[in-house]
Amino acid sequence: MKQLQKHLIIILVMGIMLAAALIGGISTFTFREISSNDNRAIMKSIQQTDMEELNDTLRVTAQTVNALTASYADIVPDDLSLLKDPEFLSAYEDKTENLGYHLLSENFKIASLYYRLSPELTNNPQAGYTVARSADGISVLKLTPVNLHKFDEDDMNHVGWYYVPVSRKEPTWLPPYYNTMMGGQCISYVRPIYKGDTLIGIVGADIDFDEFCKRINNMTAYESGFAVLFGPRGDLLFDGNRSVHIPQETSTRSWTPPVTASPRATRITRTVSSWKAARSKMACVWPSSSRKRN
């Protein structure tokens, strides 16, 4: 009888231990699931606030260029040979510049606007206009247009904003590059204008990429989570000098980067694309020391 009682006690103890292990496992799984859900909720919050603000800058830039393109296309003279007449060209430039100047004065998200006419059409490599926001970001300046014949067509920093979209014959988002006229890193959106099959010129706008990166740098999650920006091929465009290493692998639409970051970085979560036209990706790196505070 005592032997039977002993076996029953052992079975009961084992049952209690098994139940405790199961409860502990379920609790751990639930805790991890809650933690993961919290991370996703925070990323969603970043996407809906900071990301939407960045998207709005890109959206407004494209809308402004598209609107200018439509307006300028309507006032292109039927007789294109008139654009070779210096007097007619000067009046045409003034008319188009006034609209660009007004739009830039009202839009603080854009660094510069320009309408450049085809040198072949006008016999003038500086035909058109360029207006840009001043260094203080308040006033708008009328700049001397770049001489398109002064630089090689593949000189991205000086004239890439003209020749790249012209060669593609379609609206183009240019990746970050050093714009010599602006004196800093820019993102440009440019649309060619055609009358039939004849190139009239291009309309473009620049965004200050340095300012864009400052806003990305201010995105945070928990105490030390931060945002980074990837290009369409998985190239790291901005990491805030945090030494995030990204293997050079080709990107796809559903690409999730296998990140090897700083020794503390253990998780990376990708949000919706911010630079939609170029299919760039925003990501937030979550160092292992990050913890949600009550």
Side-chain angles (χ1 to χ4, degrees):
M1 186 66 177
K2 290 182 179 180
Q3 190 68 21
L4 180 60
Q5 290 177 340
K6 182 177 180 181
H7 286 309
L8 288 174
I9 291 172
I10 293 174
I11 292 172
L12 286 173
V13 171
M14 290 179 65
I16 292 171
M17 292 175 65
L18 180 61
L22 287 172
I23 292 172
I26 293 172
S27 298
T28 300
F29 174 80
T30 303
F31 176 78
R32 288 177 179 174
E33 185 66 21
I34 292 173
S35 177
S36 179
N37 289 339
D38 284 346
N39 287 343
R40 284 194 291 268
I42 290 175
M43 288 300 296
K44 185 177 181 180
S45 175
I46 292 174
Q47 171 190 331
Q48 291 177 340
T49 53
D50 299 313
M51 292 286 292
E52 186 55 34
E53 183 180 346
L54 294 177
N55 279 334
D56 188 57
T57 296
L58 300 172
R59 184 164 47 245
V60 167
T61 300
Q63 289 173 347
T64 301
V65 170
N66 293 341
L68 278 176
T69 301
S71 297
Y72 293 163
D74 287 341
I75 61 174
V76 172
D78 293 330
D79 183 2
L80 295 180
S81 65
L82 289 173
L83 293 173
K84 288 184 170 65
D85 180 282
E87 186 175 345
F88 180 90
L89 178 60
S90 178
Y92 180 79
E93 288 174 325
D94 289 341
K95 185 177 182 179
T96 56
E97 184 182 55
N98 287 337
L99 179 56
Y101 185 93
H102 173 73
L103 285 178
L104 187 59
S105 298
E106 299 294 325
N107 193 330
F108 290 87
K109 296 180 182 294
I110 298 175
S112 67
L113 283 172
Y114 38 92
Y115 177 34
R116 297 302 310 275
L117 295 161
S118 167
E120 291 73 24
L121 194 64
T122 61
N123 289 336
N124 183 345
Q126 291 182 284
Y129 73 82
T130 300
V131 292
R133 196 162 297 284
S134 59
D136 59 15
I138 299 175
S139 57
V140 174
L141 308 175
K142 296 182 179 181
L143 306 181
T144 301
V146 172
N147 186 329
L148 295 174
H149 286 172
K150 187 177 180 180
F151 304 97
D152 294 334
E153 293 186 8
D154 60 356
D155 188 333
M156 184 63 198
N157 292 344
H158 287 94
V159 293
W161 45 265
Y162 180 88
Y163 288 108
V164 171
V166 165
S167 65
R168 294 179 180 177
K169 298 182 179 181
E170 63 182 9
T172 302
W173 277 103
L174 297 177
Y177 68 99
Y178 186 83
N179 186 309
T180 53
M181 177 170 282
M182 297 297 297
Q185 295 288 322
C186 290
I187 301 171
S188 300
Y189 178 67
V190 187
R191 288 193 67 134
I193 298 180
Y194 288 88
K195 188 176 182 64
D197 294 330
T198 303
L199 174 69
I200 304 301
I202 58 95
V203 178
D206 298 330
I207 299 172
D208 186 337
F209 187 64
D210 292 329
E211 183 63 31
F212 204 78
C213 289
K214 287 179 184 177
R215 291 156 66 183
I216 295 173
N217 202 38
N218 289 333
M219 294 182 185
T220 58
Y222 296 148
E223 291 183 347
S224 52
F226 57 89
V228 297
L229 178 67
F230 297 103
R233 296 183 178 277
D235 50 318
L236 185 62
L237 299 179
F238 176 75
D239 68 352
N241 295 320
R242 294 182 176 91
S243 301
V244 177
H245 171 69
I246 309 297
Q248 296 298 313
E249 297 183 5
T250 302
S251 167
T252 65
R253 187 173 183 179
S254 60
W255 176 78
T256 301
V259 173
T260 304
S262 61
R264 296 185 300 121
T266 58
R267 173 189 287 274
I268 183 163
T269 304
R270 182 167 58 84
T271 72
V272 172
S273 165
S274 67
W275 189 357
K276 294 179 180 178
R279 298 189 302 280
S280 291
K281 302 169 180 65
M282 292 294 297
C284 193
V285 177
W286 304 80
S288 58
S289 60
S290 297
R291 292 291 184 270
K292 187 176 179 179
R293 298 295 183 183
N294 294 326

